[in-house]
Amino acid sequence: MITAVELGLIYAIMALGVYLTFRILDFPDLTVDGSFTTGAAVASVGIVNGMNPWLATVLAFFAGMVAGVITGLLHTKGKIDGLLAGILTMIALYSINLRIMGKANTPLLGEDTLISPMRASGILGSWASVSILFAVCLVFVAAIVWFLHTELGMAMRATGDNQEMIRSFGVSTDNQKILGLALSNGLVALSGAVIAQYQGFADIGMGIGLILIGLASVIVGQAIFTQRYIWLAAIAVVFGAVIYRLVIQMALSAGLEVNDMKLISAVLVVLALLLPKWKGFQKILKSVKKRPQPVTESKEEVRTNA
């Protein structure tokens, strides 16, 4: 279970990227299936060739940003539907990722990675490593919340809410979409780079169906927690990613096979979408969130008692 929590916290960085496009920009971006593997490929090849793992991870982030920019340009300047633009970039990235790695799998066994210090000290797989990864996630949450409260971030939020309105104020919605897609896929690639270092290899198929994991994390987290504030919504995404991995782990422990993971993910997303519409579920959430009010005497009762 601790391993599932660790994976959930690493995947939470990817889920935060999906949150930017899915919730903030209201953009169905499928690029993440390819950019996740791109981040893993760039970091793994860099580390194998003697590059500092920190530098390799940063390069993976920028490689993901480039992928997001390409999708953004196809959609905004090429006037291609957003869904199709993401699919085109995702398909192209499959061949690009093979070119980067030179083969279908790049092992990192025996290489120094970002996870090596935790593995060497023996804290990997313990609550100490969970605390470290959770603190890292909180840093990313704080950075995203801060950005979304800047003028640039407010313009991006307005672009997702009402493009015509924000365009009337002289804001370029095309630039906002490109920036949002770049940041989103940068975070996705960063998560892929860390996952590759955590698992000890980068594989060409590790990003297949990843958009479902991202959507499951966002939807599950925000179905349970409130979306009233940006910072709460972002934290909900992190907890949603952890809950998703825990559900997958429990399903595997119950006897399901690894090949059933995609089916489990699909069922989880369907439940997360349907449960909030169920009145019984809403009553349960209200009863859980409802706090007992402190008993205070009115002024008239105080006077009477006096």
Side-chain angles (χ1 to χ4, degrees):
M1 285 298 178
I2 293 180
T3 301
V5 175
E6 289 176 341
L7 284 172
L9 290 172
I10 299 175
Y11 276 112
I13 301 174
M14 175 274 301
L16 288 170
V18 174
Y19 168 74
L20 285 177
T21 52
F22 184 65
R23 289 297 188 193
I24 300 301
L25 279 178
D26 193 22
F27 188 96
D29 183 29
L30 295 182
T31 313
V32 297
D33 280 23
S35 59
F36 184 84
T37 308
T38 300
V42 170
S44 299
V45 171
I47 291 172
V48 168
N49 287 283
M51 185 180 293
N52 183 282
W54 287 99
L55 179 58
T57 305
V58 171
L59 287 178
F61 173 79
F62 285 110
M65 290 190 71
V66 172
V69 168
I70 293 173
T71 300
L73 290 174
L74 289 175
H75 173 61
T76 57
K77 307 305 180 184
K79 305 302 179 183
I80 299 176
D81 179 73
L83 191 63
L84 181 57
I87 293 173
L88 290 172
T89 307
M90 175 188 67
I91 293 173
L93 284 175
Y94 187 88
S95 297
I96 294 173
N97 294 334
L98 279 175
R99 285 283 186 178
I100 293 173
M101 292 191 293
K103 50 188 176 181
N105 187 286
T106 301
L108 292 173
L109 298 177
E111 302 288 346
D112 290 330
T113 65
L114 296 181
I115 308 298
S116 296
M118 288 193 291
R119 185 173 283 113
S121 59
I123 66 173
L124 195 66
S126 67
W127 291 111
S129 62
V130 169
S131 301
I132 294 173
L133 292 173
F134 183 68
V136 172
C137 285
L138 288 182
V139 171
F140 281 100
V141 167
I144 289 175
V145 171
W146 170 82
F147 170 75
L148 291 177
H149 282 86
T150 62
E151 290 186 5
L152 190 60
M154 293 288 284
M156 186 178 295
R157 290 163 61 186
T159 299
D161 291 335
N162 192 327
Q163 295 187 42
E164 295 181 1
M165 182 273 292
I166 194 64
R167 197 181 293 121
S168 66
F169 287 98
V171 176
S172 173
T173 55
D174 287 353
N175 291 341
Q176 293 300 321
K177 289 180 180 180
I178 293 173
L179 176 61
L181 287 166
L183 291 176
S184 171
N185 285 279
L187 290 173
V188 171
L190 180 64
S191 176
V194 179
I195 284 292
Q197 296 173 65
Y198 181 89
Q199 296 179 340
F201 66 91
D203 187 80
I204 191 62
M206 64 189 301
I208 297 176
L210 191 78
I211 184 62
L212 195 59
I213 299 176
L215 290 177
S217 302
V218 173
I219 295 171
V220 169
Q222 296 188 352
I224 299 175
F225 302 95
T226 181
Q227 304 180 44
R228 185 174 180 181
Y229 304 104
I230 291 292
W231 66 273
L232 275 178
I235 292 177
V237 172
V238 174
F239 281 104
V242 174
I243 292 171
Y244 169 82
R245 295 306 310 183
L246 288 174
V247 170
I248 293 294
Q249 181 61 40
M250 287 187 291
L252 294 176
S253 300
L256 293 177
E257 299 180 359
V258 178
N259 296 331
D260 298 325
M261 286 182 61
K262 303 302 180 185
L263 176 61
I264 300 170
S265 301
V267 171
L268 190 60
V269 172
V270 170
L271 291 176
L273 289 172
L274 294 181
L275 279 179
K277 300 178 182 179
W278 179 44
K279 293 182 179 179
F281 182 75
Q282 293 177 356
K283 290 180 180 179
I284 294 173
L285 283 182
K286 287 181 180 179
S287 63
V288 171
K289 295 177 181 178
K290 197 173 185 181
R291 296 180 180 179
Q293 298 295 328
V295 179
T296 57
E297 294 181 329
S298 63
K299 292 182 179 179
E300 295 182 357
E301 291 175 340
V302 173
R303 290 173 183 171
T304 303
N305 294 334

